[in-house]
Amino acid sequence: MSDHALRLLREQPHLAELAAFPFNFDLARADHGEAVRLASGGPLDAVAGDDTGGTYFVCGDGSVLYADSEGSAGIIGNSVDEALEVLVGLPGWHDYLGLAPADGEEKIRAAVAETEEEIREYHGIDDERAELRAGLGLPERSPVELIGLLHAALLRTEPDFLLLNAEEGGAHALLDRHPRPPLWEAVLARGRTDLTLLREGSAWDEVAGDRARRALALRAAQFDRREGDLPLLRHLLRHEAEASMTDELRLAAVLVGLHGHAEDLPLLYEVRETDFDTWCGLGGMPEPGADPAELRSWARGLDDSLFGTDPADEPLFTWTDLAHEQGLVELARATLIRRLDDIDFRAYRDARDSKAMERRDASQLSQLVYEFEQLGDTFQALRAQRLYVPLQTRAWDRVSALLRLARLEREEGRFGAAIRTLASLRDTLAEPDGGVGESESESESDNSLGHWQRTNLGAYIVEEHYAVARTAATDTALADEVRAVTVAAGELLARLSGTARANVERHLAGTTDTHTDTQTDIRAAIHTDTGAKPDADISAEPTPPQPSAG
């Protein structure tokens, strides 16, 4: 991962001029024109550009990422030296993004020869190429070798080098269109290896005792079912029960049940009785003494509705969860961002048909928010929640969604946006049927917020107001807005029932804050509205559980 060639270009103007023309690697064009970043958060340094508006970035491991002006990006070399080998050896490289070594030497050489003849009609490249290679110490490689380097580099773009628009968060398209293996194939690879070990009679305890390996082995067994697997499935089932109710526990029970052995009924019954969650999650299971046919029927019913034998039929979130669990965080993140981009695009395209979008995307958006938060990616969670909020038609759901949106905005440091979101939330509390376009009969029937003052939701609303007031107090430009939020928090607090209000006060009473003015305002509000002691230390952010987006 050498940057030898880049140093030479910076030190020798003549070589830099040759790189800029005719090979279109211009150190003076390193300004991409828009803010971009890697989804992984890794370093990204723009070092050159071309005359089409494209930019060459060096990533943390030395890889070179090229981003064009049309919203596509891809790795073109493992180092600047390698990228320059490609650019100098294949000056028409943009035309070869669809080529791969599998196309064969004859096709590759013909494509390169055709493009280079076209280039020579306008300017020379042969003497210039020889001079630049010699000056930079680049080896002379055949077009076939260079296509192999470019192809291998392009395939490395995702997941580690997914390029995002830094402001909006959308991902750049892949620079090439080479097919990639499906997500499930990468996720299942370890599980298939472990399933082979289990079938060979080795590593039973190692696999069964590791939650991530056990889950993947069960998924591998789901798609490669064999009659002789029953003993290892029983073993995995016993261990998975220790994790309480999971999708993989239900899968293990189904795979055991499909064999239809009466002697497995006591084991299945014992697993079902592990705790209340497993009792609910494995409901309908035949009890010991039942006919084996009844056991098979129960297992087939769940298999048909929840599992099956084709990994492509599994929900996307099954694979992203498993990817995250085994440490493939960037693979999960890239996949989730691509799915969010699809929904975002449809939302833009179908803006006039919000009902269609609601039916199609609301549940996925809620799940995406959760998945991104699990990855610690608040930025993308916020993107998804912004799309989710307008789809909520019931007042309770709108308030819950706005509350979650305000929290994510606060955590992202977007305090002005959080303050505005809380204002919308209060408007909904005041007029639950306002602004969402329901018919009069529908709005009259929506009394879902009728008792919000006596619920956890009410307490969370008040606590979020105080949390926003405290964190936003560091921004002096928002002083008036912060004071207004603090006053609104006190008014909402006064409306809570005795129990809900006491819970809020208890959360606030154990906190600390260094911002004196805001701390004083909050203390005064509680003292005035609830009778709490004014000297209680109530300033740091509480961390109660948040209500779900739905």
Side-chain angles (χ1 to χ4, degrees):
M1 289 179 281
S2 168
D3 62 354
H4 172 72
L6 183 59
R7 288 200 303 272
L8 289 175
L9 292 179
R10 288 170 170 168
E11 293 168 357
Q12 301 185 37
H14 175 61
L15 293 180
E17 289 174 6
L18 274 178
F21 184 82
F23 301 106
N24 225 353
F25 185 86
D26 191 343
L27 299 182
R29 293 179 181 267
D31 182 7
H32 188 57
E34 67 173 5
V36 293
R37 66 178 180 85
L38 293 179
S40 66
L44 197 64
D45 180 26
V47 295
D50 62 23
D51 60 9
T52 68
T55 308
Y56 299 94
F57 298 90
V58 177
C59 304
D61 69 341
S63 297
V64 175
L65 180 73
Y66 175 80
D68 66 21
S69 60
E70 303 300 319
S72 298
I75 296 292
I76 62 168
N78 293 334
S79 65
V80 176
D81 288 10
E82 185 176 295
L84 282 167
E85 283 188 52
V86 171
L87 301 184
V88 175
L90 301 172
W93 68 274
H94 288 277
D95 295 335
Y96 315 141
L97 294 173
L99 287 176
D103 291 315
E105 181 174 353
E106 182 178 353
K107 181 177 179 178
I108 291 172
R109 288 187 179 276
V112 171
E114 180 181 358
T115 303
E116 294 196 352
E117 281 304 310
E118 294 175 358
I119 294 174
R120 291 186 184 97
E121 293 179 7
Y122 299 96
H123 55 76
I125 56 173
D126 298 306
D127 292 342
E128 294 83 354
R129 177 157 49 200
E131 183 178 357
L132 190 56
R133 275 176 170 164
L136 297 179
L138 301 178
E140 183 175 349
R141 297 184 190 271
S142 72
V144 177
E145 288 180 282
L146 292 172
I147 289 295
L149 290 176
L150 177 61
H151 178 70
L154 289 167
L155 292 180
R156 293 180 50 238
T157 304
E158 286 191 19
D160 294 323
F161 305 101
L162 180 63
L163 190 66
L164 305 181
N165 178 291
E167 295 181 1
E168 298 176 359
H172 283 53
L174 288 170
L175 194 61
D176 67 283
R177 296 297 180 265
H178 294 299
R180 266 71 169 178
L183 172 64
W184 59 261
E185 190 169 304
V187 174
L188 270 186
R190 178 66 181 274
R192 287 170 166 166
T193 299
D194 279 342
L195 182 59
T196 298
L197 292 175
L198 292 170
R199 285 170 172 166
E200 292 172 351
S202 59
W204 273 42
D205 290 336
E206 291 86 341
V207 174
D210 184 306
R211 167 73 185 103
R213 294 180 68 180
R214 184 172 68 242
L216 288 171
L218 282 166
R219 289 294 176 175
Q222 175 185 350
F223 306 115
D224 181 14
R225 304 182 183 190
R226 300 186 187 180
E227 187 65 30
D229 284 347
L230 183 56
L232 68 88
L233 291 173
R234 290 167 176 159
H235 187 66
L236 295 174
L237 172 63
R238 289 188 181 95
H239 281 77
E240 187 63 23
E242 298 172 2
S244 189
M245 192 60 231
T246 63
D247 288 339
E248 284 71 37
L249 179 66
R250 187 181 286 112
L251 171 62
V254 165
L255 293 176
V256 169
L258 286 172
H259 287 267
H261 290 274
E263 59 265 32
D264 287 322
L265 283 167
L267 169 61
L268 291 167
Y269 182 77
E270 178 186 344
V271 168
R272 190 190 74 175
E273 297 298 307
T274 300
D275 56 36
F276 180 74
D277 290 336
T278 56
W279 185 85
C280 294
L282 297 175
M285 178 189 293
E287 298 193 2
D291 188 277
E294 187 179 349
L295 173 59
R296 278 193 295 269
S297 176
W298 170 81
R300 286 195 194 104
L302 285 180
D303 191 28
D304 292 342
S305 62
L306 298 177
F307 299 112
T309 58
D310 187 348
D313 291 338
E314 282 292 321
L316 174 72
F317 299 121
T318 295
W319 300 120
T320 55
D321 284 349
L322 289 169
H324 184 199
E325 193 166 356
Q326 63 175 305
L328 301 175
V329 174
E330 294 312 318
L331 182 60
R333 190 197 313 275
T335 303
L336 293 168
I337 290 174
R338 292 291 188 196
R339 177 56 60 87
L340 178 56
D341 284 351
D342 289 343
I343 296 175
D344 202 354
F345 174 75
R346 291 200 300 270
Y348 173 79
R349 184 190 63 191
D350 300 340
R352 296 181 181 179
D353 189 4
S354 60
K355 291 295 183 183
M357 181 187 169
E358 176 186 348
R359 290 191 298 270
R360 185 174 53 213
D361 296 327
S363 62
Q364 281 205 21
L365 284 168
S366 179
Q367 185 69 22
L368 281 166
V369 175
Y370 172 80
E371 297 289 338
F372 281 123
E373 288 203 88
Q374 291 297 106
L375 292 175
D377 196 334
T378 309
F379 180 83
Q380 295 293 344
L382 179 55
R383 277 187 68 203
Q385 187 67 11
R386 283 174 173 164
L387 289 170
Y388 180 77
V389 168
L391 305 182
Q392 307 314 302
T393 56
R394 292 178 69 249
W396 180 283
D397 296 336
R398 290 199 304 278
V399 166
S400 296
L402 286 166
L403 179 61
R404 193 179 201 179
L405 178 62
R407 174 175 61 80
L408 291 169
E409 289 169 335
R410 169 174 58 81
E411 291 175 354
E412 273 291 292
R414 305 186 183 203
F415 302 132
I419 289 171
R420 291 189 293 273
T421 296
L422 290 178
S424 296
L425 187 156
R426 295 194 301 276
D427 289 344
T428 304
L429 290 177
E431 298 184 50
D433 58 334
V436 292
E438 304 102 328
S439 68
E440 183 177 348
S441 60
E442 288 173 330
S443 64
E444 288 176 353
S445 65
D446 184 0
N447 60 356
S448 57
L449 283 175
H451 305 288
W452 67 268
Q453 302 93 332
R454 298 201 292 270
T455 66
N456 284 336
L457 177 62
Y460 297 151
I461 290 170
V462 174
E463 288 165 1
E464 187 58 37
H465 274 72
Y466 282 130
V468 168
R470 283 189 298 275
T471 52
T474 58
D475 188 342
T476 56
L478 295 174
D480 292 341
E481 289 86 347
V482 168
R483 187 167 294 278
V485 168
T486 304
V487 170
E491 293 171 350
L492 291 170
L493 181 64
R495 296 175 63 187
L496 295 183
S497 70
T499 301
R501 186 166 60 233
N503 288 338
V504 172
E505 293 167 3
R506 188 161 49 250
H507 277 297
L508 297 177
T511 60
T512 59
D513 191 356
T514 58
H515 200 280
T516 305
D517 292 341
T518 304
Q519 185 181 35
T520 301
D521 289 343
I522 295 173
R523 284 173 173 169
I526 291 182
H527 180 56
T528 299
D529 294 321
T530 71
K533 295 180 179 179
D535 59 347
D537 190 1
I538 45 118
S539 26
E541 178 184 343
T543 55
Q546 291 291 321
S548 68

